[in-house]
Amino acid sequence: MGSELTETNTSSDEVAPTLSAVAKRAGVSSITVSRVVRLPDLVAPETRARVEKAMRELGYVPNLVAGALASAKTNSVGVLVPTIANSIFADTVQGLSDKLEPLGYSVILAQSRYDAAREDRMLAALLSRRPEAIIMVGSPATEDGKRLLRHARIPIVETWELPIDPIDAVAGFDNYQAGVAVARHFIEHGRQHLAFIGGDDPRGTRRWLGFQDHALACGLQPPRRLILERNASGSVAAHANLPGVDAVFAANDAHAIGFMAGLRKAGLLRDGPAAAQPVAVVGLGDLEMGRLISPSLSTISVHGDAIGRTAATLTLERGGERRIDLGFELVLRDSG
Amino acid sequence: MGSELTETNTSSDEVAPTLSAVAKRAGVSSITVSRVVRLPDLVAPETRARVEKAMRELGYVPNLVAGALASAKTNSVGVLVPTIANSIFADTVQGLSDKLEPLGYSVILAQSRYDAAREDRMLAALLSRRPEAIIMVGSPATEDGKRLLRHARIPIVETWELPIDPIDAVAGFDNYQAGVAVARHFIEHGRQHLAFIGGDDPRGTRRWLGFQDHALACGLQPPRRLILERNASGSVAAHANLPGVDAVFAANDAHAIGFMAGLRKAGLLRDGPAAAQPVAVVGLGDLEMGRLISPSLSTISVHGDAIGRTAATLTLERGGERRIDLGFELVLRDSG
DNA sequence: ATTCCCCATGATAGCGCTAACATTCGGACA
DNA sequence: TGTCCGAATGTTAGCGCTATCATGGGGAAT
């Protein structure tokens, strides 16, 4: 009575059963129940069976909040990404949680939306849940954020970059060199008028810098840079703002594909090989989609899931190398 | 000494400072510090300033684990999705966390990988963290999972479907009717030989059923169904297994785009309008990419982020309608 | 003055669990 | 036969915080 949810024969009362409720029912002390849950080998088979029966009958679900407080272990990791939607970071989250979940860790996910203030708030929110480690994309944008992490005394893994003075561990690649690689490729294939399109987030900017520096070092005219909104639609119209440009490095594959849609409308896209393209296009991220479209998209291939898995490993193992360069690969297809 | 991390002038000792450490430093009782953190209006401005100064000096970060245990409020929600990578569910996670994070809720993310056993394990793991609510894609695959959720006595939101006997709340759309809509569209445009490609997960299967039922009801030959791996690459070769088919409904846009890549290789794709396509293709999800490729992809448009935001709302408000149909829309472009 | 009330603060008792240290008991071993 | 040891279980004391119920000390109202 009083509850509209009673439905099984096993009494489902008002409140969630606790360890000691199970203990009472099984006729043991609560620490024994605790052991059945966490260290079953320490409990005699018969006792264990009795306790397990009581747990089943009561529908006992352990309270990890209390367990975490008592043991000072939350078995959780905080994950901070700029955004999870339509993005390569989803692969990283997938990779790291595939590694961590089987080990009993939970992932607490937060998004900064490329906003420094929100990033700081999210970092503080994550830390107040006392995760065993923090994995984030990039580095904290503010000194406050950095200080927060440095004082947290847990493993911190920065990803998707190789910061010079990391807080703790790093799993990423060299965005600057990625920019250099694309510029070199364009120049080797006779392109003269380069441009970069994409966001102005730290990683995009680093790609731009490498791209620009290499172009200048090779004596080309200064490449152009077009900063776009985060969604790819803006990139469709981008070529109108880039007259005379014959090679474009897009900060990610979505922008690259959007840009190609614009080229197509302008009659500047061929189904032939890269050499036939009036405007060469290279993206970054190696989306599956880029392989499927026509002309297929050349891209800097980065293994987002490997970054995630490596980051997870870095949170688990304290010793060993704390700075892992996963590298990247220039994959040439038909777009440039 | 003994620590290699001391660096600020403010003493950063071995362990994280607690409420009572702050209290001692500020010369107040710990409950007052607690009030400064949670209910600042109850504290006199001068006292508050003194406490805030002490918090800053000690680098105090509240321990929400302890707070959650004491107050029986974790301010977290559990989110269970099949997968977060390369998928439309990322939009849903984004949508719900955009709504929940500003309110102080954390998102605990788990992935089932379309595996019933793993789903059950993840549900149990989530529940043991005592979230205020659970939001999941679809319904639990097993009775065990359903029972777990029914006994949890927290809001449960099932999404991306409209189950007949929901556990609690629902934010989704009618996958069966989506299948019907695509079949109707194909038939109205004179297509005779229909096929469905995609996964055999519950939602995909429901789409298939609607698609099949409507085709049969209209007197067409039984449509074919090709079950594919989750990645789109498999769909590239799919058309070879579908001789004579002139209209294909792909369970998601990625498969649709992959299938179109196969059609292109086979010379069965035109840059013209839908009527000119030897094989009409309709996807589901309305990926931005589908709008950008050529021919542009017709699709069932579903607002993944709206599903997420709606689900978040349903976890917060107990009263009101608990079954929200977000609908879908058949968006016709050039592919079919 | 006295009463009342509200504002600011404090003392106390847990939340549900686990770490750390008993305790008990039966058998192996000398 | 006594000693020792390990296996199985229990006792105790918190983890860091918050809910709840005091407490004291001004005004405002009478």
Side-chain angles (χ1 to χ4, degrees):
Chain A
M1 63 181 218
S3 162
E4 72 289 4
L5 279 175
T6 51
E7 59 171 286
T8 56
N9 46 2
T10 63
S11 69
S12 75
D13 280 44
E14 283 304 327
V15 293
T18 64
L19 252 199
S20 62
V22 176
K24 190 182 293 179
R25 189 181 187 99
V28 297
S29 72
S30 37
I31 189 70
T32 298
V33 180
S34 174
R35 289 196 183 106
V36 170
V37 173
R38 297 177 304 133
L39 312 158
D41 292 344
L42 293 187
V43 180
E46 297 161 25
T47 317
R48 189 156 84 212
R50 217 163 66 246
V51 170
E52 279 164 349
K53 179 156 168 287
M55 294 199 297
R56 244 177 291 113
E57 288 168 349
L58 291 176
Y60 175 66
V61 178
N63 185 331
L64 249 52
V65 177
L69 181 61
S71 67
K73 285 207 78 220
T74 55
N75 282 297
S76 65
V77 309
V79 176
L80 180 62
V81 297
T83 167
I84 190 81
N86 303 323
S87 99
I88 34 208
F89 304 135
D91 285 333
T92 298
V93 174
Q94 161 118 267
L96 67 89
S97 69
D98 279 351
K99 191 124 195 182
L100 292 173
E101 282 171 357
L103 294 163
Y105 288 91
S106 291
V107 169
I108 308 176
L109 180 72
Q111 304 183 73
S112 69
R113 297 302 216 113
Y114 293 98
D115 178 78
R118 181 164 170 177
E119 180 177 276
D120 283 355
R121 263 183 284 123
M122 289 296 126
L123 282 176
L126 286 177
L127 288 174
S128 62
R129 306 220 173 241
R130 296 293 189 268
E132 315 278 345
I134 297 256
I135 297 172
M136 67 182 295
V137 170
S139 301
T142 71
E143 272 310 314
D144 275 6
K146 289 201 176 78
R147 185 156 10 89
L148 222 44
L149 292 183
R150 256 192 287 265
H151 287 12
R153 300 171 176 289
I154 52 174
I156 307 288
V157 187
E158 293 160 271
T159 65
W160 282 84
E161 294 190 24
L162 296 174
I164 313 160
D165 58 339
I167 297 170
D168 174 19
V170 173
F173 66 97
D174 190 330
N175 287 276
Y176 184 93
Q177 286 303 328
V180 169
V182 175
R184 181 186 304 125
H185 163 71
F186 282 154
I187 294 166
E188 282 172 2
H189 290 74
R191 307 286 175 174
Q192 304 269 351
H193 305 284
L194 311 193
F196 176 96
I197 62 174
D200 58 351
D201 59 287
R203 290 158 294 290
T205 299
R206 209 141 301 152
R207 288 164 207 158
W208 153 250
L209 290 175
F211 187 71
Q212 177 188 44
D213 286 358
H214 190 74
L216 293 176
C218 290
L220 263 65
Q221 293 200 312
R224 298 211 41 194
R225 180 187 189 187
L226 211 59
I227 292 173
L228 300 173
E229 296 293 305
R230 229 139 233 112
N231 65 73
S233 310
S235 49
V236 176
H239 79 277
N241 298 308
L242 298 170
V245 160
D246 63 2
V248 170
F249 178 27
N252 61 251
D253 281 2
H255 278 143
I257 294 172
F259 185 76
M260 284 164 70
L263 288 180
R264 168 169 282 119
K265 274 193 203 145
L268 293 170
L269 200 64
R270 308 280 172 267
D271 272 338
Q277 301 297 343
V279 181
V281 178
V282 171
L284 184 144
D286 200 8
L287 283 192
E288 188 172 40
M289 216 107 298
R291 228 166 301 158
L292 302 177
I293 60 170
S294 173
S296 54
L297 177 65
S298 296
T299 193
I300 295 281
S301 173
V302 174
H303 297 294
D305 56 340
I307 291 179
R309 287 196 308 274
T310 306
T313 305
L314 284 167
T315 67
L316 300 171
E317 301 166 1
R318 296 305 309 253
E321 184 56 61
R322 303 292 286 161
R323 180 191 195 80
I324 298 184
D325 185 347
L326 276 320
F328 60 83
E329 192 186 348
L330 177 57
V331 178
L332 297 177
R333 303 205 184 94
D334 291 343
S335 71
Chain B
M1 66 188 232
S3 161
E4 72 288 7
L5 279 175
T6 50
E7 58 170 287
T8 57
N9 47 1
T10 64
S11 68
S12 75
D13 278 45
E14 283 304 328
V15 292
T18 64
L19 254 200
S20 62
V22 175
K24 190 182 292 179
R25 189 180 186 97
V28 297
S29 72
S30 37
I31 189 70
T32 298
V33 180
S34 174
R35 287 194 184 107
V36 170
V37 173
R38 297 176 304 132
L39 313 157
D41 291 344
L42 294 186
V43 180
E46 297 161 24
T47 317
R48 188 156 86 213
R50 217 164 62 245
V51 171
E52 279 164 349
K53 178 158 169 284
M55 293 198 299
R56 243 177 292 115
E57 289 168 350
L58 292 175
Y60 175 67
V61 177
N63 185 331
L64 250 52
V65 178
L69 181 61
S71 68
K73 286 208 77 218
T74 56
N75 283 297
S76 64
V77 308
V79 176
L80 180 62
V81 297
T83 166
I84 190 81
N86 301 324
S87 103
I88 204 152
F89 304 134
D91 285 333
T92 297
V93 174
Q94 161 117 266
L96 65 88
S97 69
D98 279 350
K99 190 124 193 179
L100 292 172
E101 283 171 358
L103 294 162
Y105 289 90
S106 291
V107 169
I108 309 175
L109 180 72
Q111 303 184 76
S112 69
R113 297 304 215 113
Y114 292 97
D115 179 77
R118 181 163 170 180
E119 180 176 277
D120 283 357
R121 264 183 284 122
M122 289 296 128
L123 282 176
L126 286 177
L127 288 174
S128 62
R129 306 222 173 240
R130 296 293 188 269
E132 315 279 346
I134 297 256
I135 298 172
M136 67 182 295
V137 170
S139 302
T142 70
E143 273 309 315
D144 275 7
K146 287 200 177 79
R147 185 156 10 88
L148 221 44
L149 292 184
R150 257 193 286 267
H151 287 14
R153 300 170 177 288
I154 53 174
I156 307 290
V157 187
E158 293 161 271
T159 65
W160 282 85
E161 293 191 24
L162 296 174
I164 312 161
D165 59 338
I167 297 169
D168 173 18
V170 172
F173 67 97
D174 190 330
N175 287 276
Y176 184 93
Q177 286 302 328
V180 169
V182 175
R184 181 186 305 125
H185 163 71
F186 282 154
I187 295 167
E188 283 173 1
H189 288 77
R191 305 288 175 175
Q192 304 269 352
H193 304 282
L194 311 192
F196 176 95
I197 61 173
D200 58 352
D201 59 286
R203 291 158 293 288
T205 299
R206 208 141 301 151
R207 287 165 209 157
W208 153 249
L209 289 175
F211 187 72
Q212 177 187 43
D213 286 359
H214 190 74
L216 293 175
C218 290
L220 263 66
Q221 293 199 312
R224 298 210 44 195
R225 181 186 190 186
L226 210 61
I227 292 173
L228 300 173
E229 296 294 304
R230 225 134 238 116
N231 65 73
S233 310
S235 50
V236 176
H239 79 278
N241 298 309
L242 298 169
V245 159
D246 63 1
V248 170
F249 178 25
N252 61 251
D253 281 1
H255 278 142
I257 293 173
F259 185 76
M260 284 164 70
L263 288 180
R264 166 170 284 119
K265 272 192 203 144
L268 293 169
L269 200 64
R270 308 282 172 265
D271 270 340
Q277 300 299 341
V279 182
V281 178
V282 171
L284 184 145
D286 201 7
L287 283 192
E288 187 171 42
M289 217 109 294
R291 230 166 299 157
L292 303 176
I293 60 171
S294 175
S296 54
L297 177 65
S298 296
T299 192
I300 295 281
S301 172
V302 173
H303 296 294
D305 56 342
I307 291 179
R309 286 196 309 274
T310 305
T313 305
L314 284 167
T315 67
L316 300 171
E317 301 167 2
R318 297 303 310 251
E321 185 55 64
R322 305 291 287 161
R323 179 191 194 80
I324 298 184
D325 184 348
L326 276 321
F328 59 83
E329 192 186 348
L330 178 57
V331 178
L332 297 177
R333 302 204 184 95
D334 291 343
S335 71

